[in-house]
Amino acid sequence: MCGIVAYIGPKEAYPILVKGLKRLEYRGYDSAGVALLNGSLNIYKKEGKVLELENYAEDKNKTGNIGIGHTRWATHGVPCDRNAHPHLSRSGNLAIIHNGIIENYGAIKEELTQRGYTFESDTDTEVLLNLIEDVQNEEKLSIEEAVRVALNEVIGAYAIVVLDKRNPDILVAARKGSPLVIGIGKDEFYVASDASPIIEYTKNVVYLNDEEFAVMNRNGKLDIKTLGNIQKSPYIQKLEMDLEKIEKGGYEHFMLKEIYEQPQVILDCMRGRMNAEKGWIKLGGISEFASRINNAKRIIITSCGTSWHSGLIGEYLIEELARVSVEVEYASEFRYRNPIVNEGDVVLAISQSGETADTLAAIELAKERQALIYGICNVIGSSIARASHAGSYTHAGPEIGVASTKAFSAQVTILTLLALQLAQSKGTISQSRLRQILYELEAVPAKVKEALKTNDKIKEIAIKYKDAHNFLYLGRGLNFPIALEGALKLKEISYIHAEGYPAAEMKHGPIALIDENMPVVFIATNASAHEKIVSNIMEVKARKGKVIAIVNEGDKVIKALADEVVEIPETDELLSPLVSIVPLQLLSYHIALLRGCNVDQPRNLAKSVTVE
Ligand code: G6P
């Protein structure tokens, strides 16, 4: 949560900061602010989106070729101008931007208060900055040393950038638990929470590691040390990100663009990793640890949000195909409940951003207990990718819409390949069945493209049901996680209460909610459960519920029963989630749009959840 961006070099900083903040807005949009140094230190900050900041700063002095910017997802203190970053130190000499949480801020604040400090905001960040200033004054230290010493007193997570009015030629940045990347240009540096604000200026980047801090000098010198004061040599990497991939490309919203990218994303995800004709699958990230993964007695999948839903699909697939026992855990629960993890266990950590704090903590716990960590991440070089022993990238490209869509499909694709690869090496699948599934998988991108053609039909359905107060999503087998994901999409972006349930569980509770005002979405594409689903549909109809059914093309039985039917191409049942999720994503998109909601930036949410 929170996006940070900073610049030092010969250019004007403000346009770079504002453009960068817009790219990082997916990380939070409770407030936005910048600090610019041009002899004087000017701070402009405003509650709300970056646009509010731009309007506010329109007639202000925005010159300066060193500056820091922030877009906030509130943790300590309500969203308001006063709590917006950057924060200023008591003397007015230092300014800071921060992403993370300082857990012991209360104790530090008390100590500083006793020594006469007062605070303008309710944030932990302002406390940290004044600690830095206090250390600097008391111990007569340079700003970089003061940052280092102060951070050694801090418990929590942070990515920070500090600006010193008296030192206009340096920027100091540090990280622990929150991401930070430094872009290196000619005699200039860019700093950001991810590479998207940097990509158009330079492809040379350094990812700062935990407990490292960097001093960037206007003369082009970059100095990186650990908080223990050990010098590190910067490891410069080339960015592979594409600028056009982080722009809307003619679509009204990022979410819609990302939904439509799914055929290509699934294709990219499979590319070079399988061959149906020859009957092979090769997830490169496994090779080094192949025998440990193949011989795992148990696989634990841990993740959050949409990634947890793809984990549930992974469980069904791995158990069905490879006959290995799988448990799926919310990372936030796993990390705090003393779970049983044995040395031979393999932990699959799934994360689009690769930065989710709970998932990272779950990994650390599993590592302590000697498990092998297999990471499935979208963001290259992200913390989870780096914390894993082995892994596969989903290669879905940057996902900007806060509600995850294409990353989900990519995760499910990887999990399918993983389940098949495990099954092949364990001998739990025949070569002919394996090739049959692989051929079907090759056909999935085209089927997803077909499923996207339901868009107009879905729009009509959205118009009819947009004012409902509740929605129920029901599915069986692999379509149960799809029901959960469909409900989550609707909740996230349209603010309609929605619940996903296994269809057969309806009779144990949710059925009491059904009346003529309750739309019930059935995901009914699995042939093996067709009759059962038909019975569930009858039960809903008998109570006057409105049935919206997602079915395979040509399903006359359900067509005759349902109020609305969306037909999608049939595929192998094991692969059906990749196709059946599409109409549900579109349904949530259109309902949210019709209700006037901000589709890409839903209230209270953030894309990258770097706090617990
Ligand atoms: C947030 C996002 C979700 C995402 C979840 C897990 O809640 O809004 O879209 O599924 O975090 O994120 P991760 O990056 O770990 O997949």
Side-chain angles (χ1 to χ4, degrees):
M1 344 289 273
C2 299
I4 65 179
V5 55
Y7 175 77
I8 180 167
K11 299 180 192 136
E12 280 299 321
Y14 181 76
I16 296 169
L17 298 181
V18 163
K19 201 165 184 186
L21 289 180
K22 285 187 178 159
R23 296 237 166 95
L24 293 177
E25 228 171 7
Y26 72 86
R27 302 178 67 86
Y29 27 83
D30 287 333
S31 63
V34 292
L36 299 159
L37 198 52
N38 55 9
S40 61
L41 178 55
N42 295 319
I43 294 191
Y44 308 122
K45 48 192 197 176
K46 228 37 219 149
E47 182 182 345
K49 305 248 161 78
V50 180
L51 200 61
E52 313 282 340
L53 167 71
E54 276 184 293
N55 292 338
Y56 171 71
E58 201 176 356
D59 55 353
K60 309 269 190 305
N61 174 4
K62 300 187 286 292
T63 58
N65 44 29
I66 172 169
I68 56 181
H70 188 269
T71 174
R72 179 170 187 244
W73 186 84
T75 57
H76 292 66
V78 295
C80 64
D81 295 354
R82 193 171 51 83
N83 286 332
H85 299 216
H87 290 286
L88 202 55
S89 65
R90 179 170 71 165
S91 69
N93 286 327
L94 304 181
I96 191 171
I97 46 174
H98 169 215
N99 163 209
I101 288 182
I102 305 301
E103 288 170 14
N104 59 338
Y105 89 105
I108 301 173
K109 188 171 186 176
E110 207 178 302
E111 203 181 311
L112 290 173
T113 308
Q114 277 170 16
R115 309 241 304 278
Y117 280 81
T118 53
F119 297 88
E120 299 288 314
S121 74
D122 311 317
T123 65
D124 50 344
T125 307
E126 193 189 2
V127 174
L128 171 61
L129 184 63
N130 280 309
L131 174 67
I132 294 171
E133 180 160 284
D134 192 59
V135 167
Q136 190 181 22
N137 292 342
E138 290 294 310
E139 302 185 28
K140 307 275 174 287
L141 297 176
S142 64
I143 178 64
E144 54 267 38
E145 256 309 275
V147 167
R148 190 183 73 78
V149 172
L151 288 180
N152 274 303
E153 290 184 29
V154 151
I155 300 168
Y158 50 80
I160 58 166
V161 186
V162 178
L163 197 70
D164 183 353
K165 194 171 157 184
R166 298 151 301 178
N167 284 296
D169 293 332
I170 61 165
L171 268 182
V172 184
R175 80 156 264 183
K176 183 183 173 193
S178 300
L180 202 66
V181 51
I182 298 171
I184 305 171
K186 187 170 166 2
D187 295 336
E188 61 178 3
F189 295 100
Y190 303 82
V191 186
S193 299
D194 73 29
S196 60
I198 296 176
I199 182 74
E200 63 197 275
Y201 308 109
T202 176
K203 297 225 163 194
N204 295 326
V205 296
V206 173
Y207 290 93
L208 217 57
N209 290 311
D210 272 351
E211 307 208 11
E212 282 182 355
F213 75 104
V215 183
M216 289 151 278
N217 204 299
R218 198 182 285 286
N219 63 15
K221 188 164 172 277
L222 172 64
D223 212 17
I224 297 182
K225 285 184 181 170
T226 65
L227 292 186
N229 215 11
I230 296 165
Q231 191 78 36
K232 303 285 268 192
S233 44
Y235 171 52
I236 301 174
Q237 302 186 39
K238 280 259 176 261
L239 275 182
E240 282 173 18
M241 198 186 260
D242 216 337
L243 186 58
E244 86 185 27
K245 292 218 169 114
I246 52 176
E247 307 207 312
K248 280 192 198 145
Y251 285 89
E252 204 182 330
H253 295 97
F254 281 112
M255 183 182 177
L256 191 63
K257 175 181 173 234
E258 288 157 6
I259 291 173
Y260 273 83
E261 278 173 354
Q262 290 177 114
Q264 189 60 42
V265 161
I266 296 170
L267 207 64
D268 290 344
C269 204
M270 298 188 300
R271 184 166 292 131
R273 288 170 163 162
M274 57 163 276
N275 184 311
E277 205 184 324
K278 301 202 171 109
W280 61 257
I281 311 151
K282 192 169 185 321
L283 285 170
I286 291 189
S287 14
E288 209 187 322
F289 297 92
S291 81
R292 254 185 97 177
I293 295 173
N294 290 337
N295 295 320
K297 294 255 174 322
R298 193 169 64 130
I299 293 177
I300 301 168
I301 301 183
T302 188
S303 44
C304 305
T306 290
S307 299
W308 187 78
H309 294 156
S310 71
L312 284 179
I313 294 174
E315 175 186 25
Y316 279 62
L317 291 173
I318 295 171
E319 291 203 343
E320 169 70 26
L321 292 165
R323 310 307 298 153
V324 186
S325 152
V326 179
E327 279 166 37
V328 187
E329 298 262 5
Y330 284 114
S332 53
E333 289 296 314
F334 181 80
R335 64 180 290 196
Y336 285 121
R337 68 164 188 84
N338 193 15
I340 297 170
V341 184
N342 299 314
E343 211 174 310
D345 289 344
V346 169
V347 171
L348 286 192
I350 308 175
S351 175
Q352 187 287 127
S353 62
E355 301 295 345
T356 302
D358 284 324
T359 310
L360 253 176
I363 290 179
E364 294 311 329
L365 177 73
K367 268 175 141 177
E368 275 165 25
R369 298 180 185 197
Q370 314 305 320
L372 179 93
I373 314 295
Y374 186 92
I376 298 178
C377 295
N378 193 36
V379 177
I380 295 172
S382 56
S383 303
I384 292 175
R386 289 190 290 156
S388 303
H389 300 109
S392 301
Y393 283 116
T394 45
H395 297 308
E399 191 181 63
I400 314 279
V402 165
S404 185
T405 52
K406 65 174 180 174
F408 172 78
S409 293
Q411 290 166 351
V412 173
T413 307
I414 294 279
L415 288 161
T416 308
L417 292 174
L418 180 65
L420 288 168
Q421 183 164 334
L422 276 176
Q424 188 177 37
S425 46
K426 295 175 86 69
T428 52
I429 191 169
S430 69
Q431 193 61 13
S432 62
R433 173 71 177 129
L434 174 75
R435 288 178 59 194
Q436 184 190 26
I437 299 178
L438 290 179
Y439 272 122
E440 260 307 310
L441 192 53
E442 276 183 353
V444 161
K447 292 186 178 180
V448 170
K449 229 181 217 165
E450 278 304 303
L452 287 165
K453 293 187 184 155
T454 59
N455 189 44
D456 289 342
K457 170 85 196 168
I458 301 273
K459 239 191 253 177
E460 288 168 23
I461 299 175
I463 292 169
K464 280 197 204 164
Y465 296 94
K466 69 174 176 26
D467 296 319
H469 294 298
N470 298 287
F471 261 76
L472 204 54
Y473 286 71
L474 302 176
R476 284 173 177 258
L478 279 159
N479 279 331
F480 161 53
I482 292 298
L484 291 176
E485 177 58 10
L488 177 64
K489 288 288 86 86
L490 190 71
K491 267 188 279 220
E492 280 179 309
I493 62 168
S494 74
Y495 319 139
I496 294 176
H497 170 248
E499 269 192 73
Y501 244 80
E505 276 292 304
M506 174 181 67
K507 57 185 174 288
H508 298 294
I511 200 162
L513 300 169
I514 294 172
D515 61 16
E516 64 280 11
N517 298 315
M518 175 69 98
V520 184
V521 180
F522 277 94
I523 304 100
T525 55
N526 25 0
S528 66
H530 193 263
E531 284 171 21
K532 308 269 179 219
I533 282 275
V534 168
S535 309
N536 297 139
I537 292 177
M538 306 279 255
E539 286 156 14
V540 170
K541 291 302 300 171
R543 287 155 185 88
K544 301 196 172 66
K546 299 282 180 291
V547 171
I548 302 167
I550 314 296
V551 299
N552 287 332
E553 264 158 10
D555 185 333
K556 293 200 179 67
V557 179
I558 295 184
K559 205 169 180 175
L561 294 172
D563 296 271
E564 319 290 341
V565 172
V566 180
E567 293 185 67
I568 57 173
E570 183 166 2
T571 178
D572 191 291
E573 202 167 313
L574 293 178
L575 309 178
S576 62
L578 288 166
V579 189
S580 53
I581 190 58
V582 173
L584 304 187
Q585 294 167 338
L586 289 169
L587 184 64
S588 65
Y589 172 79
H590 287 297
I591 291 182
L593 207 62
L594 288 162
R595 290 167 68 96
C597 301
N598 187 332
V599 171
D600 283 336
Q601 294 171 344
R603 71 184 181 204
N604 304 342
L605 296 177
K607 183 124 193 97
S608 183
V609 184
T610 52
V611 296
E612 352 179 334

mmCIF file with all atom_site columns, all heavy atoms in Angstrom, residues 297-308:
data_model
loop_
_atom_site.group_PDB
_atom_site.id
_atom_site.type_symbol
_atom_site.label_atom_id
_atom_site.label_alt_id
_atom_site.label_comp_id
_atom_site.label_asym_id
_atom_site.label_entity_id
_atom_site.label_seq_id
_atom_site.pdbx_PDB_ins_code
_atom_site.Cartn_x
_atom_site.Cartn_y
_atom_site.Cartn_z
_atom_site.occupancy
_atom_site.B_iso_or_equiv
_atom_site.pdbx_formal_charge
_atom_site.auth_seq_id
_atom_site.auth_comp_id
_atom_site.auth_asym_id
_atom_site.auth_atom_id
_atom_site.pdbx_PDB_model_num
ATOM 1  N N   . LYS A 1 297 ? 5.243   -34.787 0.262  1.00 0.00 ? 297 LYS A N   1
ATOM 2  C CA  . LYS A 1 297 ? 4.143   -35.583 0.828  1.00 0.00 ? 297 LYS A CA  1
ATOM 3  C C   . LYS A 1 297 ? 2.891   -34.722 0.859  1.00 0.00 ? 297 LYS A C   1
ATOM 4  O O   . LYS A 1 297 ? 1.772   -35.196 0.851  1.00 0.00 ? 297 LYS A O   1
ATOM 5  C CB  . LYS A 1 297 ? 4.482   -35.996 2.271  1.00 0.00 ? 297 LYS A CB  1
ATOM 6  C CG  . LYS A 1 297 ? 5.639   -36.951 2.388  1.00 0.00 ? 297 LYS A CG  1
ATOM 7  C CD  . LYS A 1 297 ? 5.102   -38.361 2.707  1.00 0.00 ? 297 LYS A CD  1
ATOM 8  C CE  . LYS A 1 297 ? 6.145   -39.435 2.708  1.00 0.00 ? 297 LYS A CE  1
ATOM 9  N NZ  . LYS A 1 297 ? 7.186   -39.354 1.718  1.00 0.00 ? 297 LYS A NZ  1
ATOM 10 N N   . ARG A 1 298 ? 3.142   -33.415 0.968  1.00 0.00 ? 298 ARG A N   1
ATOM 11 C CA  . ARG A 1 298 ? 2.013   -32.509 1.139  1.00 0.00 ? 298 ARG A CA  1
ATOM 12 C C   . ARG A 1 298 ? 2.391   -31.166 0.524  1.00 0.00 ? 298 ARG A C   1
ATOM 13 O O   . ARG A 1 298 ? 3.547   -30.732 0.609  1.00 0.00 ? 298 ARG A O   1
ATOM 14 C CB  . ARG A 1 298 ? 1.789   -32.313 2.635  1.00 0.00 ? 298 ARG A CB  1
ATOM 15 C CG  . ARG A 1 298 ? 0.480   -31.651 2.984  1.00 0.00 ? 298 ARG A CG  1
ATOM 16 C CD  . ARG A 1 298 ? 0.268   -31.756 4.473  1.00 0.00 ? 298 ARG A CD  1
ATOM 17 N NE  . ARG A 1 298 ? 1.301   -31.005 5.171  1.00 0.00 ? 298 ARG A NE  1
ATOM 18 C CZ  . ARG A 1 298 ? 1.061   -30.116 6.116  1.00 0.00 ? 298 ARG A CZ  1
ATOM 19 N NH1 . ARG A 1 298 ? -0.180  -29.855 6.465  1.00 0.00 ? 298 ARG A NH1 1
ATOM 20 N NH2 . ARG A 1 298 ? 2.042   -29.497 6.723  1.00 0.00 ? 298 ARG A NH2 1
ATOM 21 N N   . ILE A 1 299 ? 1.422   -30.536 -0.086 1.00 0.00 ? 299 ILE A N   1
ATOM 22 C CA  . ILE A 1 299 ? 1.664   -29.194 -0.620 1.00 0.00 ? 299 ILE A CA  1
ATOM 23 C C   . ILE A 1 299 ? 0.744   -28.235 0.124  1.00 0.00 ? 299 ILE A C   1
ATOM 24 O O   . ILE A 1 299 ? -0.459  -28.495 0.270  1.00 0.00 ? 299 ILE A O   1
ATOM 25 C CB  . ILE A 1 299 ? 1.399   -29.168 -2.142 1.00 0.00 ? 299 ILE A CB  1
ATOM 26 C CG1 . ILE A 1 299 ? 2.443   -30.016 -2.872 1.00 0.00 ? 299 ILE A CG1 1
ATOM 27 C CG2 . ILE A 1 299 ? 1.413   -27.733 -2.672 1.00 0.00 ? 299 ILE A CG2 1
ATOM 28 C CD1 . ILE A 1 299 ? 2.246   -30.139 -4.366 1.00 0.00 ? 299 ILE A CD1 1
ATOM 29 N N   . ILE A 1 300 ? 1.326   -27.160 0.608  1.00 0.00 ? 300 ILE A N   1
ATOM 30 C CA  . ILE A 1 300 ? 0.504   -26.140 1.270  1.00 0.00 ? 300 ILE A CA  1
ATOM 31 C C   . ILE A 1 300 ? 0.497   -24.927 0.355  1.00 0.00 ? 300 ILE A C   1
ATOM 32 O O   . ILE A 1 300 ? 1.564   -24.426 -0.031 1.00 0.00 ? 300 ILE A O   1
ATOM 33 C CB  . ILE A 1 300 ? 1.105   -25.744 2.645  1.00 0.00 ? 300 ILE A CB  1
ATOM 34 C CG1 . ILE A 1 300 ? 1.201   -26.983 3.551  1.00 0.00 ? 300 ILE A CG1 1
ATOM 35 C CG2 . ILE A 1 300 ? 0.289   -24.639 3.297  1.00 0.00 ? 300 ILE A CG2 1
ATOM 36 C CD1 . ILE A 1 300 ? 2.040   -26.761 4.799  1.00 0.00 ? 300 ILE A CD1 1
ATOM 37 N N   . ILE A 1 301 ? -0.689  -24.480 -0.006 1.00 0.00 ? 301 ILE A N   1
ATOM 38 C CA  . ILE A 1 301 ? -0.771  -23.276 -0.839 1.00 0.00 ? 301 ILE A CA  1
ATOM 39 C C   . ILE A 1 301 ? -1.171  -22.126 0.074  1.00 0.00 ? 301 ILE A C   1
ATOM 40 O O   . ILE A 1 301 ? -2.137  -22.237 0.828  1.00 0.00 ? 301 ILE A O   1
ATOM 41 C CB  . ILE A 1 301 ? -1.800  -23.441 -1.974 1.00 0.00 ? 301 ILE A CB  1
ATOM 42 C CG1 . ILE A 1 301 ? -1.418  -24.634 -2.870 1.00 0.00 ? 301 ILE A CG1 1
ATOM 43 C CG2 . ILE A 1 301 ? -1.907  -22.166 -2.794 1.00 0.00 ? 301 ILE A CG2 1
ATOM 44 C CD1 . ILE A 1 301 ? -2.333  -24.862 -4.067 1.00 0.00 ? 301 ILE A CD1 1
ATOM 45 N N   . THR A 1 302 ? -0.434  -21.036 0.003  1.00 0.00 ? 302 THR A N   1
ATOM 46 C CA  . THR A 1 302 ? -0.784  -19.899 0.850  1.00 0.00 ? 302 THR A CA  1
ATOM 47 C C   . THR A 1 302 ? -0.807  -18.616 0.016  1.00 0.00 ? 302 THR A C   1
ATOM 48 O O   . THR A 1 302 ? 0.040   -18.407 -0.853 1.00 0.00 ? 302 THR A O   1
ATOM 49 C CB  . THR A 1 302 ? 0.166   -19.805 2.077  1.00 0.00 ? 302 THR A CB  1
ATOM 50 O OG1 . THR A 1 302 ? -0.333  -18.801 2.944  1.00 0.00 ? 302 THR A OG1 1
ATOM 51 C CG2 . THR A 1 302 ? 1.600   -19.481 1.699  1.00 0.00 ? 302 THR A CG2 1
ATOM 52 N N   . SER A 1 303 ? -1.809  -17.797 0.271  1.00 0.00 ? 303 SER A N   1
ATOM 53 C CA  . SER A 1 303 ? -2.000  -16.584 -0.531 1.00 0.00 ? 303 SER A CA  1
ATOM 54 C C   . SER A 1 303 ? -3.153  -15.776 0.044  1.00 0.00 ? 303 SER A C   1
ATOM 55 O O   . SER A 1 303 ? -3.710  -16.145 1.086  1.00 0.00 ? 303 SER A O   1
ATOM 56 C CB  . SER A 1 303 ? -2.284  -16.962 -1.991 1.00 0.00 ? 303 SER A CB  1
ATOM 57 O OG  . SER A 1 303 ? -3.206  -18.029 -2.054 1.00 0.00 ? 303 SER A OG  1
ATOM 58 N N   . CYS A 1 304 ? -3.512  -14.696 -0.623 1.00 0.00 ? 304 CYS A N   1
ATOM 59 C CA  . CYS A 1 304 ? -4.597  -13.828 -0.148 1.00 0.00 ? 304 CYS A CA  1
ATOM 60 C C   . CYS A 1 304 ? -5.483  -13.429 -1.336 1.00 0.00 ? 304 CYS A C   1
ATOM 61 O O   . CYS A 1 304 ? -5.029  -13.409 -2.480 1.00 0.00 ? 304 CYS A O   1
ATOM 62 C CB  . CYS A 1 304 ? -4.043  -12.521 0.420  1.00 0.00 ? 304 CYS A CB  1
ATOM 63 S SG  . CYS A 1 304 ? -2.832  -12.742 1.708  1.00 0.00 ? 304 CYS A SG  1
ATOM 64 N N   . GLY A 1 305 ? -6.711  -13.050 -1.026 1.00 0.00 ? 305 GLY A N   1
ATOM 65 C CA  . GLY A 1 305 ? -7.611  -12.467 -2.029 1.00 0.00 ? 305 GLY A CA  1
ATOM 66 C C   . GLY A 1 305 ? -7.813  -13.375 -3.229 1.00 0.00 ? 305 GLY A C   1
ATOM 67 O O   . GLY A 1 305 ? -8.001  -14.592 -3.107 1.00 0.00 ? 305 GLY A O   1
ATOM 68 N N   . THR A 1 306 ? -7.754  -12.762 -4.395 1.00 0.00 ? 306 THR A N   1
ATOM 69 C CA  . THR A 1 306 ? -7.933  -13.516 -5.631 1.00 0.00 ? 306 THR A CA  1
ATOM 70 C C   . THR A 1 306 ? -6.904  -14.635 -5.762 1.00 0.00 ? 306 THR A C   1
ATOM 71 O O   . THR A 1 306 ? -7.204  -15.727 -6.250 1.00 0.00 ? 306 THR A O   1
ATOM 72 C CB  . THR A 1 306 ? -7.840  -12.537 -6.825 1.00 0.00 ? 306 THR A CB  1
ATOM 73 O OG1 . THR A 1 306 ? -9.006  -11.725 -6.798 1.00 0.00 ? 306 THR A OG1 1
ATOM 74 C CG2 . THR A 1 306 ? -7.768  -13.250 -8.154 1.00 0.00 ? 306 THR A CG2 1
ATOM 75 N N   . SER A 1 307 ? -5.700  -14.370 -5.312 1.00 0.00 ? 307 SER A N   1
ATOM 76 C CA  . SER A 1 307 ? -4.645  -15.398 -5.404 1.00 0.00 ? 307 SER A CA  1
ATOM 77 C C   . SER A 1 307 ? -4.992  -16.609 -4.541 1.00 0.00 ? 307 SER A C   1
ATOM 78 O O   . SER A 1 307 ? -4.576  -17.732 -4.826 1.00 0.00 ? 307 SER A O   1
ATOM 79 C CB  . SER A 1 307 ? -3.302  -14.819 -4.974 1.00 0.00 ? 307 SER A CB  1
ATOM 80 O OG  . SER A 1 307 ? -2.949  -13.761 -5.821 1.00 0.00 ? 307 SER A OG  1
ATOM 81 N N   . TRP A 1 308 ? -5.752  -16.383 -3.482 1.00 0.00 ? 308 TRP A N   1
ATOM 82 C CA  . TRP A 1 308 ? -6.209  -17.513 -2.652 1.00 0.00 ? 308 TRP A CA  1
ATOM 83 C C   . TRP A 1 308 ? -7.232  -18.334 -3.442 1.00 0.00 ? 308 TRP A C   1
ATOM 84 O O   . TRP A 1 308 ? -7.253  -19.561 -3.362 1.00 0.00 ? 308 TRP A O   1
ATOM 85 C CB  . TRP A 1 308 ? -6.818  -16.963 -1.356 1.00 0.00 ? 308 TRP A CB  1
ATOM 86 C CG  . TRP A 1 308 ? -7.179  -18.020 -0.364 1.00 0.00 ? 308 TRP A CG  1
ATOM 87 C CD1 . TRP A 1 308 ? -6.336  -18.698 0.471  1.00 0.00 ? 308 TRP A CD1 1
ATOM 88 C CD2 . TRP A 1 308 ? -8.495  -18.536 -0.094 1.00 0.00 ? 308 TRP A CD2 1
ATOM 89 N NE1 . TRP A 1 308 ? -7.040  -19.593 1.227  1.00 0.00 ? 308 TRP A NE1 1
ATOM 90 C CE2 . TRP A 1 308 ? -8.375  -19.515 0.910  1.00 0.00 ? 308 TRP A CE2 1
ATOM 91 C CE3 . TRP A 1 308 ? -9.762  -18.258 -0.603 1.00 0.00 ? 308 TRP A CE3 1
ATOM 92 C CZ2 . TRP A 1 308 ? -9.455  -20.217 1.413  1.00 0.00 ? 308 TRP A CZ2 1
ATOM 93 C CZ3 . TRP A 1 308 ? -10.856 -18.957 -0.100 1.00 0.00 ? 308 TRP A CZ3 1
ATOM 94 C CH2 . TRP A 1 308 ? -10.696 -19.924 0.900  1.00 0.00 ? 308 TRP A CH2 1
#
